[in-house]
Amino acid sequence: MKSPSSPQRKSSFSFYALALSFVVFVAVLYGEDLSCILRQPFLKFQQLQGSEKQEESIATQEKDVVLPFAIGRTEKRCDVFNGTWVYDNITRPHYAETDCPFIQPQLKCQAYGRPDKAYQNWRWQPHGCALPSFNATFMLEMLRGKRMMFVGDSLNRGQFLSMVCLLQRAVPEGFKSIQIIGSLTVFKAENYNTTIMFYWAPFLVESNSDNAIVHRVKDRIVRARSINKHAQHWKGVDIMVFNTYMWWMTGQRMKILRGPFDGDLKDIEEMETEDGYRLALRSLVRWVEKNMNPERTRVFFTSMSPAHERSMEWGGEPDGNCFNETNPILDDPTYWGFASSKSIMQVVKKVLSRSKVPIIVLNITQLSEYRKDAHTSIYKKQWNKLTPEQLANPRSYADCVHWCLPGLQDTWNELLYTKLFFP
Ligand SMILES: *[C@@H]1O[C@H](CO)[C@@H](O)[C@H](O)[C@H]1NC(C)=O
Ligand SMILES: *[C@@H]1O[C@H](CO)[C@@H](O)[C@H](O)[C@H]1NC(C)=O
Ligand SMILES: *[C@@H]1O[C@H](CO)[C@@H](O)[C@H](O)[C@H]1NC(C)=O
Ligand SMILES: *[C@@H]1O[C@H](CO)[C@@H](O)[C@H](O)[C@H]1NC(C)=O
Ligand SMILES: *[C@@H]1O[C@H](CO)[C@@H](O)[C@H](O)[C@H]1NC(C)=O
Ligand SMILES: *[C@@H]1O[C@H](CO)[C@@H](O)[C@H](O)[C@H]1NC(C)=O
C-alpha cells in the first residue's frame, strides 16, 4: 500500500480519478458454522462478564446492548471485514438470476450473455469467525411494520436490489411489488408490512446531479452544507444505509455552492475533494444526530466501492481492465486499487466515528478490491447502441464499476445482516 501523501501517488490518483469519472459518466447513464456468534440472551452474557476488572469493557458492551434489532453478538475481536474469498458452489449463490424479477437489466449479467458463472460462487470468510447465515424469513419478521432505506448512488441501488432479491424469496407471489416514484424506488413485502426503499442522492447532500434519470452532469456542483431537500424524504425510517463516493472522484477540485441552486450560482467555492466530502459527511452526521433515534433506529454507511479499470494494477495485461476477468485476486491480501482513495477513507472514519448516534461503517472496500471478476463488464443492457469500433474492442465499453447480481453485493448485505442482528 503506497502512502497517499506522496506526490507521485497524488498525480496518478488524479489520473485514475479522471479515468474513473469518465467511466462513471458512461456507466451511470441510467440511472453455518455459528461458532463465533453468541446466541445467549444479553442478561446471561452480562453475567458471564461480571468481574470488576472488566468494568470498562462492560460499559462498551452495555452500549452495544441497547442497539435496536440486535439479538446476539459477533465474537468481540472478530473483524468481519477482514478475511478471504472461498469458492463455494454448494451454498452460493443465494438465489438464481432468473429467480429474482427485480434485478435491473444493467445488473443482469447472465441474461446479457456472460459466459462464466463462477463469480456467483464465492463466499466471504472472515479470518476470525464465521458469518451467520442469511435468513430472509427471520429478517422480514424483524422488519415487520418497519421501513428500511438505502440512500446514495447507483452502487447503493445495486446493494438495495441485492437486499430485495435476498428477501423476496421469503415473500409469496402477490404480496411483493416494486415501484419507482421519482428519486424513490419502493419495494413492498405486504404480508410483513415491510418497506425497503432506495433514494437517489449521489452526493447525499444537494447537487446538480440529483435528477433520478437525467443526472449526466459533467460540471458537478454540490451544496455540501445542504441536505434537507433530500433528507425530508428519509424521516421516520427505521434503518438507513448511506453511501457516497464515486461522484466525488472528478479528478478536479470540487465546486461547492454556498447559496441555493435557483440563483445565478455565483457563490461557488472550489476546494479539494476531501474537504468538500468532509463538509457533506458532517451535514449527514448533523442530520442523523437530529433525526435518528438511537433507541429505535439504526444507521449504516457503506464504504467506497472499488473499480477495476487497469489490469496492470493486479499484474495483468497493459491495456486490460475487468473485461474477461473470471477469478478474484486471491494471492495479495493487501491489494488496493489506485481508484480507492485512502484519504477519503480517513475522512469517513474520522467524521462518522464522531457521530453521537452510532453510524456503523460497512467496510466493504478491501473485500471488494479482490473481486475484479464480479463487475458487469460488457454483460448488461447498454443505453446506447454500440459502435462497430466498440464492438471490435469490448474492453472499451466494459463497465468495471457496477457489479452483477447475484454476486458481490449479496456479501455486502450478509455483512449488513451481521452488523444489524449480531453487532
Ligand atoms: C486481518 O487479519 C490478519 C490475520 O488475522 C492480520 O494479520 C491482519 O493484520 C488483519 N488486517 C487488518 C487490516 O486488520
Ligand atoms: C462445484 O465445484 C467443484 C470444484 O470446482 C466441481 O467439481 C463441481 O462439479 C461443481 N458443482 C457444481 C454443482 O457446479
Ligand atoms: C429462519 O428464521 C425463521 C424465523 O425466525 C425460523 O423459523 C427458521 O427456522 C430459520 N431458518 C433457518 C434455516 O435457520
Ligand atoms: C405498517 O407499517 C407502518 C410503518 O412502516 C405503520 O405505520 C402501519 O401502522 C403498519 N400497518 C399495520 C396494519 O400494521
Ligand atoms: C480472455 O482470457 C483468456 C485467458 O484467460 C484468453 O485466452 C482469451 O483470449 C481472452 N479473451 C479476450 C477476448 O481477450
Ligand atoms: C476499512 O478497512 C481498511 C483496511 O481494509 C482500513 O484501512 C480502513 O481504515 C477502514 N475504514 C474504516 C472507515 O474503518
Side-chain angles (χ1 to χ4, degrees):
M1 288 185 237
K2 299 205 177 88
S3 150
S5 53
S6 79
Q8 201 185 1
R9 172 73 176 79
K10 227 172 186 163
S11 66
S12 48
F13 170 68
S14 313
F15 171 78
Y16 284 100
L18 197 65
L20 192 58
S21 71
F22 173 72
V23 169
V24 172
F25 178 69
V26 173
V28 188
L29 297 189
Y30 61 98
E32 295 74 307
D33 166 6
L34 294 179
S35 60
C36 73
I37 307 292
L38 296 175
R39 285 179 166 281
Q40 303 103 312
F42 286 124
L43 195 65
K44 196 167 163 199
F45 183 77
Q46 281 166 350
Q47 283 165 358
L48 292 173
Q49 303 288 320
S51 105
E52 276 168 26
K53 245 183 166 178
Q54 288 170 314
E55 214 169 311
E56 194 188 87
S57 76
I58 289 172
T60 5
Q61 280 152 10
E62 276 172 354
K63 218 167 100 197
D64 287 355
V65 166
V66 300
L67 282 182
F69 298 98
I71 61 145
R73 67 175 67 243
T74 302
E75 203 175 89
K76 213 56 198 172
R77 270 171 308 169
C78 175
D79 173 4
V80 291
F81 303 107
N82 183 9
T84 186
W85 288 102
V86 176
Y87 187 74
D88 175 354
N89 59 2
I90 310 294
T91 70
R92 296 295 183 277
H94 285 284
Y95 53 91
E97 188 183 282
T98 46
D99 288 344
C100 181
F102 304 107
I103 307 175
Q104 276 184 303
Q106 284 77 19
L107 306 179
K108 264 190 198 176
C109 298
Q110 295 295 314
Y112 286 86
R114 182 157 179 168
D116 58 311
K117 254 188 166 167
Y119 68 89
Q120 301 183 348
N121 295 130
W122 294 91
R123 176 170 54 78
W124 179 246
Q125 175 62 65
H127 286 314
C129 58
L131 294 176
S133 46
F134 191 102
N135 182 333
T137 308
F138 169 73
M139 181 155 179
L140 283 163
E141 272 169 14
M142 293 296 280
L143 296 189
R144 190 181 288 280
K146 309 257 187 230
R147 298 194 297 153
M148 177 173 192
M149 188 187 266
F150 293 81
V151 176
D153 59 24
S154 56
L155 288 154
N156 211 30
R157 175 170 33 216
Q159 189 179 351
F160 156 75
L161 290 171
S162 154
M163 183 59 92
V164 167
C165 290
L166 287 165
L167 292 177
Q168 68 94 25
R169 299 172 291 167
V171 182
E173 290 305 327
F175 290 94
K176 49 194 170 187
S177 63
I178 207 161
Q179 201 186 359
I180 301 179
I181 315 149
S183 294
L184 202 59
T185 306
V186 181
F187 170 80
K188 281 200 168 138
E190 271 156 43
N191 54 337
Y192 289 97
N193 188 26
T194 297
T195 307
I196 317 277
M197 293 169 278
F198 168 71
Y199 182 94
W200 171 261
F203 291 95
L204 299 180
V205 291
E206 217 178 303
S207 79
N208 64 350
S209 308
D210 287 344
N211 186 300
I213 296 157
V214 190
H215 45 237
R216 277 195 271 168
V217 183
K218 242 192 189 160
D219 196 18
R220 294 174 198 161
I221 305 175
V222 179
R223 269 185 94 191
R225 299 172 182 86
S226 179
I227 201 166
N228 284 332
K229 186 189 128 198
H230 295 316
Q232 59 178 317
H233 302 288
W234 313 339
K235 286 202 171 156
V237 172
D238 302 284
I239 301 168
M240 297 292 299
V241 185
F242 296 102
N243 92 326
T244 186
Y245 174 62
M246 208 63 110
W247 285 67
W248 295 88
M249 297 294 107
T250 59
Q252 286 147 17
R253 286 159 68 84
M254 283 310 293
K255 293 202 168 96
I256 305 296
L257 178 68
R258 283 219 189 83
F261 268 108
D262 48 16
D264 52 9
L265 307 188
K266 257 172 53 190
D267 198 0
I268 285 180
E269 190 184 348
E270 284 199 15
M271 53 178 82
E272 295 302 327
T273 304
E274 285 80 356
D275 296 329
Y277 192 90
R278 186 178 298 108
L279 284 180
L281 282 198
R282 283 188 182 150
S283 303
L284 176 70
V285 168
R286 274 195 301 275
W287 182 86
V288 165
E289 288 177 342
K290 223 171 133 189
N291 292 279
M292 297 300 285
N293 178 347
E295 280 162 22
R296 286 194 302 106
T297 66
R298 294 283 296 276
V299 185
F300 297 90
F301 185 93
T302 306
S303 67
M304 60 187 84
S305 172
H308 294 87
E309 304 292 353
R310 312 231 333 156
S311 29
M312 262 163 79
E313 289 186 51
W314 56 85
E317 292 165 41
D319 53 353
N321 57 23
C322 73
F323 172 68
N324 202 23
E325 289 290 345
T326 52
N327 277 305
I329 295 164
L330 298 170
D331 57 356
D332 183 1
T334 63
Y335 176 79
W336 187 276
F338 277 114
S340 303
S341 162
K342 292 241 158 167
S343 50
I344 291 284
M345 186 65 108
Q346 282 309 308
V347 176
V348 168
K349 200 176 202 164
K350 277 203 185 124
V351 177
L352 299 190
S353 66
R354 284 188 200 134
S355 172
K356 291 190 195 99
V357 171
I359 301 179
I360 293 186
V361 178
L362 299 176
N363 194 347
I364 53 78
T365 307
Q366 180 70 70
L367 65 95
S368 307
E369 291 284 0
Y370 306 138
R371 296 305 306 276
K372 61 183 167 58
D373 60 315
H375 291 286
T376 54
S377 183
I378 62 170
Y379 309 108
K380 59 185 277 190
K381 185 175 183 181
Q382 305 293 337
W383 283 97
N384 302 309
K385 202 167 181 296
L386 297 165
T387 63
E389 291 76 30
Q390 283 176 314
L391 288 168
N393 181 15
R395 261 175 207 144
S396 66
Y397 67 97
D399 176 349
C400 300
V401 171
H402 298 99
W403 311 97
C404 302
L405 286 185
L408 171 68
Q409 292 189 299
D410 302 322
T411 295
W412 298 5
N413 282 322
E414 282 180 70
L415 293 163
L416 172 56
Y417 181 98
T418 303
K419 288 293 180 187
L420 181 59
F421 300 122
F422 305 95

